[in-house]
Amino acid sequence: MATTLVVDLIKRASELLYDDTNVRWTKEALLSWLNAAQKAIVLQKPDSHVVNEDFNCNGGTTKQSLPDNGLRLLEVVRNVTEDSTGEAISVVSRDVMDTTVPDWHSSTPTINIENYVFDERDPKHFYVYPAPDTDTLIEIIYSKAPGLIVVVDHNTDSQTITLDDVYENVILDYMLYRAYAKDAEYSKNGRQSLNHYNDFANAIGMKMKVDIINSPNEQS
């Protein structure tokens, strides 16, 4: 759960830009870059903003769509309908399904899902087998788009950043990259902008490597 206040992060950015009174870079501009930073992070690292929740399947069809704010399916976990078996749902390739069960898209609807198919080229959709009925609930994990943060009063606002606090400095680097890019015609600012973007990109890359190394799936 995030504890970093949005207004505090904007203040830090202003101080680092030597613009405490926000003459050159307004608070509104810095806020817009904070929002852009969170979206950029989730785009590069989908598991930075994850939702694990029960999902009501579209009945009578194998094709399922993520909620409107969903960006990418990460995993289908298990059946959770009250009268279901509660069994885990396994991922399987489309080629295997098409070969072994050619008519799987017209399967008889059920509340017990056995498998799911996911194509990285179509991250907001997935297919389940057998086809679910209208009351089928399954547990899914997916990446969610950060909502737009709007600040009315920078003196009293208590909203926190959407992502975990561990991304605080990453967001800050992105904000500074965008701020200096605004004055990139000055060579010093151009270099500063590039440096902060590199810090942002490197932090995301290093976070990915650390997550992979420390994943429970990678432990012996």
Side-chain angles (χ1 to χ4, degrees), residues 92-105 117:
V92 63
S93 73
R94 180 178 296 163
D95 287 343
V96 169
M97 290 300 302
D98 291 346
T99 301
T100 58
V101 193
D103 62 345
W104 65 283
H105 288 293
V117 172

Side-chain angles (χ1 to χ4, degrees), residues 12-19 25 30 33 175-176 179-180:
R12 281 186 60 195
S14 299
E15 291 171 348
L16 290 170
L17 290 165
Y18 300 101
D19 186 29
W25 294 281
L30 293 172
W33 296 328
M175 294 168 68
L176 296 175
Y180 281 118

Side-chain angles (χ1 to χ4, degrees), residues 13-140:
S14 299
E15 291 171 348
L16 290 170
L17 290 165
Y18 300 101
D19 186 29
D20 293 0
T21 55
N22 300 105
V23 174
R24 185 67 190 91
W25 294 281
T26 66
K27 292 178 179 179
E28 289 71 26
L30 293 172
L31 175 61
S32 71
W33 296 328
L34 185 153
N35 280 312
Q38 296 200 126
K39 292 179 181 178
I41 291 169
V42 175
L43 181 64
Q44 295 297 320
K45 196 173 186 303
D47 63 356
S48 62
H49 193 215
V50 170
V51 176
N52 183 326
E53 66 182 16
D54 293 348
F55 173 81
N56 196 346
C57 294
N58 292 323
T61 176
T62 57
K63 185 177 181 180
Q64 307 297 318
S65 302
L66 292 181
D68 291 341
N69 56 10
L71 293 178
R72 172 177 290 272
L73 178 74
L74 299 179
E75 187 176 6
V76 176
V77 183
R78 57 176 176 150
N79 291 282
V80 294
T81 306
E82 184 176 354
D83 295 329
S84 71
T85 60
E87 293 182 356
I89 302 173
S90 302
V91 64
V92 63
S93 73
R94 180 178 296 163
D95 287 343
V96 169
M97 290 300 302
D98 291 346
T99 301
T100 58
V101 193
D103 62 345
W104 65 283
H105 288 293
S106 57
S107 56
T108 301
T110 176
I111 62 171
N112 294 303
I113 304 302
E114 299 175 11
N115 302 106
Y116 73 98
V117 172
F118 177 69
D119 188 334
E120 288 79 3
R121 298 169 299 180
D122 186 19
K124 296 186 178 184
H125 301 95
F126 61 101
Y127 296 83
V128 295
Y129 173 79
D133 68 22
T134 54
D135 297 321
T136 300
L137 286 174
I138 59 177
E139 180 183 340
I140 67 171

Side-chain angles (χ1 to χ4, degrees), residues 148-202:
L148 181 69
I149 297 174
V150 177
V151 174
V152 176
D153 188 337
H154 284 261
N155 294 316
T156 61
D157 193 272
S158 60
Q159 294 179 83
T160 63
I161 58 175
T162 307
L163 307 188
D164 191 271
D165 286 334
V166 72
Y167 293 100
E168 175 184 353
N169 288 331
V170 185
I171 294 172
L172 183 60
D173 271 319
Y174 188 94
M175 294 168 68
L176 296 175
Y177 142 66
R178 291 290 299 271
Y180 281 118
K182 182 178 179 180
D183 286 333
E185 64 270 17
Y186 301 104
S187 60
K188 181 179 179 181
N189 285 352
R191 290 194 300 272
Q192 289 274 47
S193 177
L194 180 59
N195 288 339
H196 283 292
Y197 180 80
N198 287 337
D199 288 343
F200 164 81
N202 289 335

